[in-house]
Amino acid sequence: DFLPRGSGIVTRRPLILQLVNSKAEYAEFLHCKGRKFVDFDEVRLEIEAETDRLTGSNKGISPIPINLRVYSPNVLNLTLIDLPGMTKVAVGDQPQDIEHQIRDMLLQFITKESCLVLAVTPANTDLANSDALKISKEVDPQGLRTIGVITKLDLMDEGTDARDILENKLLPLRRGYIGVVNRSQKDIDGKKDIRAALAAERKFFLSHPAYRHIAERMGTAHLQKTLNQQLTNHIRDTLPGLRSKLQSQLLSLEKEVEEYKNFRPDDPTRKTKALLQMVQQFGVDFEKCIEGSGDQVDTSNLSGGAKINRIFHERFPFELVKMEFDEKELRKEISYAIKNIHGVRTGLFTPDLAFEAIVKKQIIKLKEPCLKCIDLVIQELINTVRQCTNKLGSYPRLREETERIVTTYIRERDNKTKDQVLLLIDIELSYINTNHEDFIGFANAQQRTAANTTKKRVMPNQVIRRGWLTINISIMKGGSKDYWFVLTAESLSWYKDEEEKEKKYMLPLDNLKLRDVEKGFMSSKHVFAIFNTEQRNVYKDLRQIELACDTQEDVDSWKASFLRAGVYPEKDQPESEDAMNPSDTVSMDPQLERQVETIRNLVDSYISIVNKSIRDLMPKAIMHLMINSAKDFIHSELLAYLYSAGDQGSLMEESAEQAQRRDEVLRMYHALKEALVLIGDISTTTVSTPVPPPVDDTWMAKEPSPPPASRAASATAPPPSRPPAVRGPTPGPPPPLNPSPAFGAPPVPFRPGPGQTAYAGDPNSGAVPLVPSRPARVPPALPPGIPR
């Protein structure tokens, strides 16, 4: 009585209606928690208002449901979902694709296996064209979940009836049809009571000659009972799957609930214990992130220790080589140094001081990459701390303080580490050890160049790196493509795929250098380029090939691999360098040239020794002074700093989200346990009825039914010798009423017509001949004036 009624589309949002048998009578909305509606006129107004709130007042629709629970002694336990009717034409504010929107909304609900479908069709329309039956057939081809409901039986044309449909003969459904007679709009406007409407419906079925023999199986009350019974059967069928799903959910919550079961927010011992556990867990997580561990491994990104390892062994060596001295500039500096040391004299021997001055100048250049390496490690450590404090999210103040204290400590160690690393470089500057075992010495300086060339190609076939790269080529020349690259000590090859069967090209590494390329405006990839120092084409007619990676990290890693293969980055040189002072670079006397070459080879030898030493000592210094120190601080001093940072109670205050989460988890846990108990009771005490046998429902896909009015054509035929109440048993699930003893005439012979041959083999009807369909008429026993 409280559902909105009217012309056009009235139900514009799904209404989930839960009927609960109860002694008191009231209603509750999910969006009005705590408010009980006793007046059901208010319920109708609230449904209309809530519909308009989301959809507007001009026929708009929305798939967001309204949840209503009705408690009453006059209902059976049922959950119904009232869905919008299938509209064809948009009106008002409705979108042009209103038909598809409503169809998608219906499918959201009726595709669920746990849902029974009530396919409602008016009796005064062609049943074979019913949209409700058509969409039900799509989601329930076996007919196990579909119940046909025929409305407006009292509005059919005079002389027609839906008897064959309701007896499940004409257009059969597995679960059959139930006829109902609802109130008309005039009855609703006149405030006709539901009880009076049910009594009128009962009277209609008992008095109508076409329906009175099946009156016990018609009407709203029977539909209610059938739904309740079939819903019970359906619930029982779906219980095993539901039970296993609930049990798996319960198991997944067990561990979390264990922490919450004995939770008391104001218990100081709980707060102390939680604080200790949180700090210990933070320390363990931090150490695992740095040292690596087998559990909870991130398979999508590098983080923590793995990233720091990459900084140590790929990024830092690359930065060292990147600042490698420019050959022409270095020779000029050596030349000036020799001349300045000799002064007015012409030197006969190569001066040691020139070698020392040049070496010290090169060693000082190491400070910048070393400090940059420390900054990168610091940033990664802070990211690791932030990642590890995510688990402290339940206590926002504790998380904030922990992050602040540890980050501050790491920043303090940052300065000490930098001081120590700069001290290492100062130590290298303080004494140039020309007796080092790896130093070539003056005697071997002349042979340095030849030695380098042979050393570089010790293992020409050694594979340094494999991986995917994108070659950036303009669209006019074929566009960008991904290839599988293999870098060895002598060449760079690329293949079609990882199998390395179809080689596309092999590029020798001689005279190649690397160059940075700015990322394209529309491109998300990071790019670097390879070019030939002798201005030759590198690939086809390209002077340089651009290679692209997904991340900057991949670019840095590939550059480090190229360094190992002897391909160095390009130096930034001023354009006017050659024109700066041509007189200095044109020519030198042969003796000075030999001296420059000798010192050049000595500097190269000694700087490689220093680089090797710094590359070895830098990671050790950072590990000792920063990373290990941070781990020790977290394990031994963090707790003391937290206690001194503020009141323990304020530190361990839960966030509102955590408190809500705890309440939801506990409520869910108890609801799951209660549901499992209820399922146990249902499965042992519920009596269910078997599913009806399958019927031939191919009509729903192809055969249109004759319109109801077409049966009135036989109204002029002479009436048979007995009223229609005396019939053979029908193939529907419930048995018909017994024939009246007043009409005991033998059955009329009958030859099956073409419309009924499809059902003549029905096992329930094969023994008794069927009676041909007759027009509805008033029996002789009832005068024409009596209302039906």
Side-chain angles (χ1 to χ4, degrees), residues 664-713:
E664 285 177 358
V665 166
L666 288 172
R667 190 161 59 245
M668 173 71 79
Y669 181 76
H670 293 306
L672 288 170
K673 289 190 78 172
E674 189 179 347
L676 285 168
V677 171
L678 286 173
I679 286 175
D681 291 344
I682 290 170
S683 62
T684 54
T685 61
T686 303
V687 178
S688 61
T689 55
V691 179
V695 295
D696 183 0
D697 57 1
T698 51
W699 62 272
M700 292 173 74
K702 47 190 179 183
E703 287 188 17
S705 69
S710 66
R711 299 179 60 189

Side-chain angles (χ1 to χ4, degrees), residues 16 62 112 137 152 281 341 436 518 567 646 681 748 775:
I16 299 177
S62 169
K112 296 174 183 174
K137 176 74 171 175
K152 301 187 180 179
Q281 187 61 44
I341 288 168
H436 194 283
E518 286 190 12
V567 179
D681 291 344
V748 178

Side-chain angles (χ1 to χ4, degrees), residues 528-544:
F528 67 99
I530 300 174
F531 69 99
N532 193 302
T533 54
E534 297 179 354
Q535 301 299 314
R536 294 179 182 171
N537 290 345
V538 179
Y539 174 55
K540 295 184 178 177
D541 58 345
L542 300 173
R543 287 294 174 92
Q544 70 173 26

Side-chain angles (χ1 to χ4, degrees), residues 283-525:
V284 169
D285 289 345
F286 183 79
E287 191 162 343
K288 280 184 178 178
C289 277
I290 299 298
E291 301 293 340
S293 71
D295 56 337
Q296 298 178 355
V297 177
D298 186 354
T299 56
S300 55
N301 292 300
L302 284 182
S303 61
K307 222 166 189 177
I308 292 171
N309 178 64
R310 174 175 271 191
I311 293 168
F312 284 161
H313 301 298
E314 290 186 5
R315 190 70 186 269
F316 180 56
F318 177 71
E319 294 294 335
L320 285 180
V321 178
K322 210 162 76 170
M323 41 86 43
E324 195 181 79
F325 24 79
D326 177 45
E327 191 68 32
K328 195 180 290 185
E329 186 65 28
L330 181 63
R331 289 181 180 277
K332 192 190 296 182
E333 287 177 4
I334 294 172
S335 169
Y336 286 156
I338 292 171
K339 287 177 180 177
N340 288 333
I341 288 168
H342 286 157
V344 296
R345 299 182 304 278
T346 303
L348 297 176
F349 303 104
T350 305
D352 291 2
L353 290 176
F355 162 73
E356 201 163 308
I358 298 297
V359 163
K360 285 183 177 179
K361 189 174 180 183
Q362 297 302 326
I363 291 174
I364 288 170
K365 289 182 181 178
L366 294 175
K367 288 185 178 181
E368 187 183 338
C370 288
L371 296 179
K372 186 173 181 180
C373 175
I374 294 171
D375 288 336
L376 290 171
V377 173
I378 287 286
Q379 190 55 51
E380 189 52 40
L381 275 181
I382 290 172
N383 289 343
T384 304
V385 169
R386 197 168 290 130
Q387 179 185 331
C388 293
T389 53
N390 284 340
K391 288 190 178 178
L392 310 181
S394 310
Y395 305 97
R397 180 83 200 287
L398 175 64
R399 175 182 175 172
E400 189 182 313
E401 282 298 313
T402 302
E403 199 170 310
R404 182 186 64 79
I405 291 167
V406 178
T407 304
T408 305
Y409 179 79
I410 290 172
R411 294 283 183 203
E412 288 171 4
R413 300 305 298 175
D414 173 27
N415 294 326
K416 290 183 181 178
T417 308
K418 284 181 177 175
D419 291 343
Q420 190 66 32
V421 168
L422 292 176
L423 180 62
L424 282 176
I425 293 172
D426 290 339
I427 289 169
E428 290 286 353
L429 286 169
S430 65
Y431 179 67
I432 307 300
N433 180 19
T434 53
N435 273 337
H436 194 283
E437 59 184 3
D438 293 335
F439 187 58
I440 60 170
F442 281 89
N444 299 323
Q446 296 297 334
Q447 285 77 33
R448 176 68 173 172
T449 307
N452 268 352
T453 53
T454 55
K455 190 177 178 183
K456 181 183 174 186
R457 306 296 184 205
V458 175
M459 295 180 66
N461 296 323
Q462 179 192 6
V463 174
I464 296 172
R465 185 179 181 122
R466 287 184 169 92
W468 287 101
L469 285 172
T470 304
I471 297 184
N472 279 357
I473 302 177
S474 65
I475 298 174
M476 299 293 291
K477 296 181 180 180
S480 301
K481 287 186 180 177
D482 291 338
Y483 292 106
W484 179 258
F485 279 74
V486 177
L487 175 64
T488 67
E490 282 195 339
S491 65
L492 177 68
S493 308
W494 52 94
Y495 299 82
K496 184 181 178 183
D497 51 37
E498 304 102 309
E499 295 180 3
E500 299 181 15
K501 290 180 179 176
E502 189 178 335
K503 184 184 283 190
K504 294 292 182 182
Y505 196 75
M506 187 177 83
L507 178 65
L509 298 183
D510 296 323
N511 301 317
L512 293 186
K513 283 207 171 183
L514 302 175
R515 175 183 289 160
D516 289 326
V517 179
E518 286 190 12
K519 193 165 73 167
F521 176 69
M522 297 297 289
S523 172
S524 61
K525 298 206 169 191

Side-chain angles (χ1 to χ4, degrees), residues 86-292:
M86 297 187 72
T87 305
K88 301 288 185 186
V89 181
V91 296
D93 289 336
Q94 293 173 355
Q96 291 305 310
D97 63 340
I98 182 72
E99 181 181 359
H100 299 293
Q101 284 195 23
I102 291 181
R103 180 184 171 83
D104 292 343
M105 188 194 305
L106 299 180
L107 289 172
Q108 282 180 21
F109 291 93
I110 65 174
T111 48
K112 296 174 183 174
E113 287 297 321
S114 56
C115 172
L116 286 173
V117 182
L118 281 185
V120 181
T121 308
N124 54 1
T125 61
D126 186 358
L127 190 65
N129 295 330
S130 166
D131 290 325
L133 286 170
K134 182 183 175 187
I135 198 170
S136 303
K137 176 74 171 175
E138 288 178 25
V139 298
D140 180 30
Q142 301 297 321
L144 296 172
R145 300 190 286 120
T146 305
I147 300 170
V149 178
I150 307 297
T151 62
K152 301 187 180 179
L153 289 166
D154 55 332
L155 300 182
M156 295 183 73
D157 292 342
E158 188 70 27
T160 63
D161 60 59
R163 176 175 179 168
D164 284 352
I165 294 171
L166 294 174
E167 288 179 346
N168 212 26
K169 287 181 180 178
L170 185 60
L171 303 169
L173 282 178
R174 189 163 186 173
R175 291 194 181 272
Y177 296 87
I178 296 173
V180 295
V181 176
N182 295 321
R183 293 175 297 170
S184 65
Q185 191 62 44
K186 181 181 176 182
D187 293 336
I188 293 167
D189 294 341
K191 304 289 184 186
K192 185 174 182 179
D193 185 54
I194 284 285
R195 291 182 180 83
L198 290 173
E201 179 188 52
R202 177 81 176 150
K203 182 178 178 182
F204 171 81
F205 284 116
L206 285 173
S207 59
H208 196 289
Y211 307 134
R212 64 185 180 189
H213 70 292
I214 51 173
E216 295 303 319
R217 292 187 278 120
M218 295 293 119
T220 307
H222 180 72
L223 175 62
Q224 195 179 23
K225 289 175 187 172
T226 303
L227 281 180
N228 184 262
Q229 179 60 53
Q230 297 200 358
L231 189 63
T232 303
N233 295 352
H234 200 68
I235 288 171
R236 177 159 185 165
D237 292 341
T238 56
L239 275 184
L242 183 61
R243 183 191 288 111
S244 61
K245 186 179 177 183
L246 292 176
Q247 283 171 340
S248 64
Q249 285 183 321
L250 194 68
L251 284 173
S252 66
L253 290 177
E254 285 280 5
K255 189 176 178 183
E256 202 170 350
V257 167
E258 201 58 43
E259 300 173 15
Y260 298 148
K261 269 185 179 175
N262 304 316
F263 182 83
R264 293 193 299 280
D266 301 322
D267 183 6
T269 57
R270 182 200 65 80
K271 289 186 176 180
T272 306
K273 183 182 176 184
L275 178 60
L276 287 168
Q277 286 177 339
M278 289 285 183
V279 172
Q280 285 174 356
Q281 187 61 44
F282 172 71
V284 169
D285 289 345
F286 183 79
E287 191 162 343
K288 280 184 178 178
C289 277
I290 299 298
E291 301 293 340

